[in-house]
Amino acid sequence: MKWNTLLHHLSRPWVLLGIGLMMTAMAYWPGLTGTWLFDDYPNIVDNPGVHITDASVAELTKAALSSPASDFKRPLASLSFAINYLATGTNAPAMKITNLFIHLLNGIAAFLLLRSLLRAARSEGSDGPGTRMGDRYAALMAAAWLVLPINISSVLYIVQRMESMANFAVLLGLWGYIAGRQRMLNGKTLGLPLATISVVAATAAGALAKETAVLLPLYAALVEIFIFRGRTASELGKRTDKRIVTFFIIILFLPLVAGAVWLTPGLLNSSTWVTRDFTLDTRLLSEARIVMDYIAWTILPTPRALSFYHDDFVISQGILSPPSTALSIAGIAALLALAWWLRNRIPLAGLGIALYFGCHLLTGTVLPLELVYEHRNYFSSMALILALGAAVAAIPSPNSFFRGLAGACLGMLMFHWIFITWMTSTAWGNPLALARELAYRAPESPRAQYELGRTYIIYSNYDSKSPFIPLVYEPLEHAARIPGSSVLPEQALIFMTSRMNLPVKDAWWQSIESKLKAHPATIQDESSLDALAQCLRDNACHFPAQNLLDAFGAALSHDRRSPRLLAMYANFAFEVIKDHDLAYRVQTEAVEKAPNEPAYRITLARIAMDRGNVAVAKEQLSALSSMNIGGRLSHDIDSLRASIGDLKDARCAQGADCQ
């Protein structure tokens, strides 16, 4: 009797969810001691905007608008990094703990959403578990989603707090939409306002963390299609609710048309794709394979599949190149057809499939983003769990054997997910172990091999007698030889050997020039050149400046000259080779190409003052004043204004024109 009572209590939905939350925390705990990785550096570690000293409006505004990851700045995510910094400084474990807390909150939100979906499907006449059993299924599905290995980078990769924060808003917004629709169908008041506010407010809030939240109206539309079907209140059940049709025209169809009109000219412009090693056509073909791969990585993950770095992905060049492209396209078509067939049989399973593909419409279609990232599955992985869970829950009670067998299979899968998550998290907890693990998982990934070599350099502490120094060369030189690699490996080798007064191979410089002449510089290429320039400026490196000047020349030999690269070149010209005229010309071009970037105008004003050109400095000061939202640029503006005043005073003292 006592065992029955204990099992009864343990099977309560919130208890099941609580156990899932604890298991998730335990699985992720070893990874919380890890450090920064990849895009953490430009967005957090090397981003002075989030290194705030107080919680003033000016400092918070500066932080909110500091992200280099997107033109939309993702202010909520940046603010969260700044608040973390204010509390703990650049403490990576503290930021990872915050990420884990957000993930656990998302688990609770996922439970609320899944529970409401199961109840809504039941109330709409779908076969499935009763309320109590449905709530248990919701708790188990939320717990399963929490421990999925494919979501590790959304938690332990600090910068991807952007993804988890955005999806917290999405989960709550979709939950609110379902609650609003049920009020409408039950004839209660405020149903439509609740649905509208939930979707609109959550979309806006989520998009301030990451743009993927703009898909929330599409998710709501899919819920409507598969569950509520546009119905009015029960007494008019067969009719379509025109308010719902109008609602989706306004929040989904019209924004979709506007977005297509805005994006299409750029997407059809070949210059948009010049920094990528794929075109619009080859991207779409490749993403068909990737989206199908994501399904396998979610349900049956292996360590080699979840390698974090996927820059070794072989791009599809045609329907049959490779043949898996055609198979993947056929697989997508079959799954979409299955989803529609399930709409009248197991609607939640069909909805799960539809939500999965809907989630990848933004990052897995026409936008010129990098091809593969595991964190893009944060919401879509929950959709797959919904599809699997709904299919098991729909097995009729008389077929208890088959339901039990399916449940046992899912249970074994869950233990597999927990083990893979714990094992990978353990590697994430130690920088060297992680670098070795990811290099092992992706032997042909330039980034993975570069990070291994770079980690060896860090552990060597630039001591030529360190046992790590001999280990550096193999992964970095291997990374440099991989087709399509950036100049990061060569930069790391030059940086290390020059700082330690070891021989710098001419072949490394030649490799940099040949790569930069062969294709426009990528963001990684630009950062590499800037790192070498800064090392020279700080007198930490000792190599001929002409070598770096030639490398910049190769990068700037293309028609497309990014403002970021121009600004870096101008700084190199001003600080290192002392060619102030060249610096002024190049920085002026950077401002012309990116007039809304205040950092470029600040630098141009300082270079202009060095040349005694007060008029240009005042022009930049005026432009900066108009950009000074929330006082974020006040410090720089005051400094420039004081410098201009000092320059005018000095000119007056010399009898020159004081204007």
Side-chain angles (χ1 to χ4, degrees):
M1 188 70 178
K2 291 181 179 179
W3 281 107
N4 289 336
T5 303
L6 177 62
L7 289 174
H8 173 72
H9 288 303
L10 288 177
S11 66
R12 291 180 176 179
W14 283 103
V15 174
L16 290 172
L17 180 62
I19 294 171
L21 293 170
M22 288 188 291
M23 292 176 68
T24 302
M26 291 172 61
Y28 276 103
W29 196 260
L32 299 180
T33 57
T35 187
W36 313 98
L37 185 69
F38 202 47
D39 281 346
D40 288 339
Y41 288 95
N43 286 279
I44 305 170
V45 181
D46 300 328
N47 180 8
V50 301
H51 300 171
I52 62 175
T53 56
D54 57 64
S56 65
V57 173
E59 286 281 273
L60 293 175
T61 303
K62 180 181 73 172
L65 301 177
S66 68
S67 173
S70 167
D71 291 339
F72 296 99
K73 297 302 181 183
R74 303 174 181 174
L76 281 183
S78 294
L79 273 175
S80 75
F81 297 140
I83 292 169
N84 255 143
Y85 179 86
L86 188 61
T88 61
T90 50
N91 184 302
M95 293 210 179
K96 289 177 186 284
I97 290 172
T98 304
N99 280 23
L100 177 58
F101 178 72
I102 294 170
H103 183 54
L104 297 177
L105 277 181
N106 281 339
I108 297 171
F111 166 67
L112 296 174
L113 171 60
L114 292 167
R115 184 180 67 175
S116 68
L117 281 170
L118 284 160
R119 289 181 176 182
R122 183 77 177 178
S123 67
E124 293 302 305
S126 172
D127 291 335
T131 299
R132 185 180 297 274
M133 183 60 69
D135 291 356
R136 291 173 183 166
Y137 271 101
L140 290 170
M141 285 190 283
W145 174 71
L146 279 169
V147 298
L148 282 178
I150 200 167
N151 291 328
I152 285 175
S153 61
S154 298
V155 181
L156 296 180
Y157 184 22
I158 298 172
V159 74
Q160 283 312 320
R161 180 184 303 176
M162 297 173 175
E163 188 73 42
S164 56
M165 286 183 68
N167 278 285
F168 181 65
V170 167
L171 293 168
L172 292 182
L174 204 51
W175 178 47
Y177 175 77
I178 294 168
R181 277 298 279 136
Q182 288 187 304
R183 290 188 68 87
M184 292 174 68
L185 290 171
N186 292 332
K188 296 181 179 179
T189 59
L190 302 179
L192 183 60
L194 175 58
T196 302
I197 292 171
S198 296
V199 173
V200 174
T203 300
L208 292 176
K210 195 171 184 181
E211 296 86 341
T212 49
V214 301
L215 290 171
L216 174 55
L218 173 64
Y219 302 154
L222 291 173
V223 170
E224 189 63 45
I225 290 168
F226 279 83
I227 305 299
F228 298 117
R229 310 191 184 199
R231 288 200 309 107
T232 59
S234 55
E235 65 269 16
L236 303 172
K238 297 291 184 180
R239 297 177 57 184
T240 299
D241 194 327
K242 294 180 180 178
R243 296 173 298 172
I244 291 299
V245 175
T246 304
F247 173 77
F248 283 111
I249 289 175
I250 294 172
I251 71 158
L252 180 59
F253 179 73
L254 292 180
L256 183 64
V257 171
V261 171
W262 176 47
L263 291 172
T264 299
L267 296 175
L268 298 179
N269 188 338
S270 59
S271 65
T272 301
W273 305 89
V274 71
T275 59
R276 298 298 187 187
D277 51 357
F278 50 81
T279 63
L280 176 58
D281 293 342
T282 58
R283 175 182 173 78
L284 289 171
L285 291 171
S286 299
E287 286 293 346
R289 290 164 49 215
I290 292 165
V291 168
M292 294 300 288
D293 283 344
Y294 285 155
I295 296 176
W297 298 356
T298 301
I299 298 173
L300 292 171
T302 63
R304 292 298 289 265
L306 300 177
S307 59
F308 184 76
Y309 297 109
H310 296 282
D311 50 324
D312 56 347
F313 179 83
V314 178
I315 297 168
S316 295
Q317 301 300 326
I319 293 289
L320 298 176
S321 179
S324 57
T325 308
L327 293 174
S328 296
I329 293 172
I332 292 172
L335 284 173
L336 290 174
L338 175 63
W340 191 254
W341 181 81
L342 289 170
R343 178 172 176 259
N344 294 316
R345 295 162 179 84
I346 313 176
L348 284 179
L351 174 63
I353 297 172
L355 285 173
Y356 172 79
F357 287 109
C359 179
H360 291 293
L361 282 177
L362 189 66
T363 57
T365 53
V366 299
L367 296 181
L369 307 170
E370 290 200 39
L371 289 174
V372 191
Y373 272 121
E374 292 162 22
H375 62 254
R376 291 175 182 169
N377 292 272
Y378 195 68
F379 182 85
S380 69
S381 59
M382 191 201 71
L384 291 178
I385 293 295
L386 171 63
L388 286 175
V392 172
I395 297 175
S397 297
N399 297 324
S400 57
F401 170 78
F402 294 106
R403 176 181 283 186
L405 180 63
C409 290
L410 287 179
M412 288 188 290
L413 269 179
M414 190 166 178
F415 279 110
H416 174 67
W417 296 335
I418 293 171
F419 175 73
I420 295 291
T421 297
W422 174 83
M423 182 182 69
T424 307
S425 175
T426 301
W428 277 76
N430 180 280
L432 184 56
L434 179 62
R436 285 172 169 166
E437 177 69 18
L438 296 182
Y440 163 75
R441 293 186 181 190
E444 294 305 310
S445 162
R447 287 178 181 169
Q449 301 306 314
Y450 162 76
E451 284 294 336
L452 177 58
R454 176 179 169 276
T455 303
Y456 284 143
I457 292 174
I458 293 171
Y459 271 71
S460 77
N461 199 29
Y462 294 98
D463 179 357
S464 59
K465 297 179 181 179
S466 168
F468 290 103
I469 292 300
L471 301 176
V472 168
Y473 294 91
E474 182 181 353
L476 289 180
E477 291 188 329
H478 173 54
R481 291 192 300 269
I482 297 174
S485 64
S486 71
V487 302
L488 274 171
E490 293 92 338
Q491 173 259 316
L493 287 164
I494 293 169
F495 194 96
M496 179 194 76
T497 54
S498 178
R499 283 192 58 168
M500 296 166 53
N501 294 313
L502 296 173
V504 178
K505 295 181 182 180
D506 290 337
W508 297 337
W509 286 112
Q510 292 165 5
S511 178
I512 287 177
E513 281 194 55
S514 63
K515 287 181 178 181
L516 294 177
K517 286 179 180 177
H519 59 76
T522 64
I523 292 175
Q524 289 77 31
D525 294 330
E526 294 173 355
S527 298
S528 298
L529 296 178
D530 192 47
L532 290 171
Q534 184 174 341
C535 195
L536 270 184
R537 185 188 66 194
D538 296 341
N539 294 315
C541 290
H542 308 93
F543 57 79
Q546 184 64 45
N547 288 339
L548 187 53
L549 183 63
D550 293 341
F552 268 113
L556 292 165
S557 64
H558 303 275
D559 291 337
R560 179 188 175 275
R561 298 152 64 94
S562 82
R564 182 171 181 258
L565 178 61
L566 289 166
M568 291 173 174
Y569 184 41
N571 187 63
F572 168 71
F574 190 86
E575 298 283 351
V576 179
I577 63 175
K578 309 300 181 182
D579 189 338
H580 294 188
D581 290 340
L582 173 62
Y584 179 76
R585 292 197 305 272
V586 175
Q587 191 67 31
T588 300
E589 185 178 348
V591 169
E592 290 172 351
K593 286 183 174 291
N596 294 323
E597 177 50 62
Y600 299 162
R601 290 189 177 274
I602 291 168
T603 302
L604 179 57
R606 298 197 184 283
I607 295 174
M609 283 189 288
D610 178 81
R611 292 161 51 89
N613 195 333
V614 176
V616 170
K618 287 174 123 180
E619 180 183 338
Q620 302 311 311
L621 186 63
S622 176
L624 288 166
S625 297
S626 65
M627 300 178 188
N628 191 24
I629 301 171
R632 66 187 179 110
L633 301 174
S634 295
H635 176 75
D636 295 301
I637 289 172
D638 292 342
S639 177
L640 284 176
R641 188 174 286 119
S643 297
I644 291 172
D646 292 343
L647 179 60
K648 288 169 64 178
D649 291 343
R651 292 176 63 175
C652 288
Q654 295 172 1
D657 182 8
C658 298
Q659 297 301 317

